[in-house]
Amino acid sequence: MANLSLTAMLNRCFRYSFSKAGLRSSTMDLGDGTVMHIWVPKVHIKSKPTLILIHGIGANAMWQWNDFVSPLMSRFNVYVPDLLFFGDSYTSRPERSEQFQAQCVMRVMEAHGVTVMNVVGISYGGFVGYSLAAQFKERVEKLVLCCAGVCLEDKDMEEGMLQVKSVDEAVSILLPQTPQKMRELMKISFYKPRKGVPTCFLNDFIREMCSEHLQERKELIQALHKDRKLSNLPKITQPTLLIWGEHDQIFPLELGHRLERHLGDNAKLVMIKNAGHAINVEKPKVLLKHFKYFLIDTFRPMEPGNHSNGCKTD
């Protein structure tokens, strides 16, 4: 009898959940050795705006956006891609930059007939979202970045801003291959880490979600950090909402303030209290409220006391 995998079972549940919400799975060969998987609306309604949800490093897109798809579908045509080397997306090309990831996302959106969109990216997905906004200025209307340290500089690690002291150490935690490393990842990702998760489940999750394309994922993280300088970061012009967990230990809150300063009047930073890096897991309802407010209530002034640098919200 084959071993039962709780991770595989949860993955099937997420597939059912996405389908029930009105999405269908689509895999597209882009023709250059690149294949992109994306969840697309079963029916694209032209009167609704389009919203792309871009996941971070970790499991596939479903695990990171399952709580968001159904509530957002009533107001948006929601598209949820798997980035290269996650889910069923991959490439034989050598590029590992977030710029290339963004180009592949745009190409798959174009293939589905979508040319104008709003973008939400979390963590690594925020790097890709920022690059989408920078490269395709006329196509990205609004941008939401959640705990995405796009203004990170390579010297920040050397100067002790981050929990990790080297890229290799970051890789070993962000791409955990042992239960011990998985527990380290949970400890720095959550404000209140879940305790007592059985080792057998951690091993199962690593086997199902963290083993495939391991070398390529390492290269994605290495490319993100290599020679990174704020002076090289383009200033995007789209209205941008920055959402950060107060206790983020992967990309500390200071990076949110730095990015807000870099973008000037186009950006506003919202800090989520009692949350760490994994705000999509810890505070999904709070995130949804901010997504809808920013993306739907176009340019309406925020309430008094909720429109200042680093404003807090529960």
Side-chain angles (χ1 to χ4, degrees):
M1 181 178 170
N3 289 333
L4 290 175
S5 166
L6 181 58
T7 305
M9 185 176 71
L10 284 171
N11 205 60
R12 287 192 294 272
C13 290
F14 291 146
R15 289 186 73 88
Y16 173 77
S17 176
F18 269 48
S19 178
K20 189 179 178 185
L23 297 178
R24 64 177 177 86
S25 173
S26 170
T27 303
M28 186 160 291
D29 189 336
L30 299 183
D32 60 352
T34 301
V35 171
M36 287 290 287
H37 174 264
I38 184 169
W39 289 92
V40 303
K42 292 175 182 176
V43 179
H44 182 102
I45 301 171
K46 289 187 177 179
S47 60
K48 289 183 183 179
T50 292
L51 177 62
I52 311 180
L53 303 177
I54 308 181
H55 67 86
I57 301 284
N60 61 50
M62 294 186 297
W63 287 70
Q64 300 185 34
W65 294 119
N66 186 60
D67 290 339
F68 297 81
V69 168
S70 186
L72 291 169
M73 281 291 286
S74 62
R75 305 298 295 266
F76 299 94
N77 293 301
V78 177
Y79 289 76
V80 191
D82 278 316
L83 295 176
L84 296 174
F85 307 118
F86 297 91
D88 293 325
S89 298
Y90 61 90
T91 186
S92 59
R93 291 173 63 101
E95 290 95 332
R96 298 292 181 263
S97 68
E98 69 258 41
Q99 289 81 14
F100 182 64
Q101 290 271 21
Q103 289 159 16
C104 291
V105 169
M106 185 57 74
R107 286 170 68 193
V108 80
M109 293 299 291
E110 288 174 346
H112 284 283
V114 179
T115 54
V116 178
M117 62 209 72
N118 299 283
V119 177
V120 174
I122 187 163
S123 194
Y124 177 70
F127 287 75
V128 178
Y130 194 98
S131 186
L132 271 169
Q135 292 186 71
F136 305 101
K137 295 179 176 64
E138 305 304 318
R139 300 187 184 183
V140 176
E141 293 185 315
K142 287 185 177 183
L143 178 66
V144 181
L145 302 177
C146 307
C147 299
V150 296
C151 55
L152 183 73
E153 297 195 279
D154 51 10
K155 66 178 183 180
D156 290 330
M157 192 174 285
E158 300 154 20
E159 293 176 358
M161 175 186 277
L162 309 181
Q163 286 281 320
V164 293
K165 301 295 182 285
S166 70
V167 177
D168 287 344
E169 185 184 351
V171 164
S172 74
I173 296 174
L174 294 174
L175 303 173
Q177 297 301 297
T178 66
Q180 178 190 353
K181 288 296 181 184
M182 180 64 79
R183 289 191 172 98
E184 283 185 49
L185 177 60
M186 292 166 67
K187 185 177 179 182
I188 65 170
S189 297
F190 293 93
Y191 174 58
K192 291 183 178 178
R194 296 171 185 177
K195 296 179 180 177
V197 179
T199 298
C200 60
F201 176 70
L202 298 179
N203 276 323
D204 179 55
F205 184 84
I206 291 166
R207 184 172 59 251
E208 293 287 330
M209 290 292 160
C210 306
S211 301
E212 200 171 16
H213 298 304
L214 181 60
Q215 180 58 35
E216 291 87 351
R217 293 182 188 184
K218 286 180 181 178
E219 292 165 4
L220 294 178
I221 295 172
Q222 290 163 349
L224 210 59
H225 183 265
K226 184 175 173 58
D227 299 326
R228 195 170 193 95
K229 289 179 173 55
L230 183 61
S231 58
N232 295 333
L233 186 69
K235 286 191 178 183
I236 58 174
T237 55
Q238 295 91 336
T240 303
L241 178 64
L242 311 174
I243 308 179
W244 234 271
E246 180 181 14
H247 303 283
D248 192 330
Q249 297 182 72
I250 291 180
F251 293 128
L253 180 61
E254 169 53 32
L255 293 176
H257 290 294
R258 183 189 292 175
L259 186 54
E260 185 183 36
R261 290 192 296 269
H262 180 72
L263 294 178
D265 292 339
N266 290 324
K268 285 291 174 282
L269 173 65
V270 172
M271 186 182 76
I272 309 294
K273 292 191 291 185
N274 302 323
H277 184 72
I279 51 176
N280 56 319
V281 178
E282 293 189 297
K283 299 287 183 178
K285 290 180 180 177
V286 177
L287 276 192
L288 274 167
K289 181 186 73 173
H290 285 292
F291 290 174
K292 289 180 176 179
Y293 191 90
F294 175 71
L295 295 169
I296 296 169
D297 297 347
T298 310
F299 302 121
R300 189 158 65 83
M302 299 178 84
E303 296 94 338
N306 206 30
H307 188 58
S308 60
N309 289 354
C311 71
K312 292 187 179 183
T313 182
D314 288 314

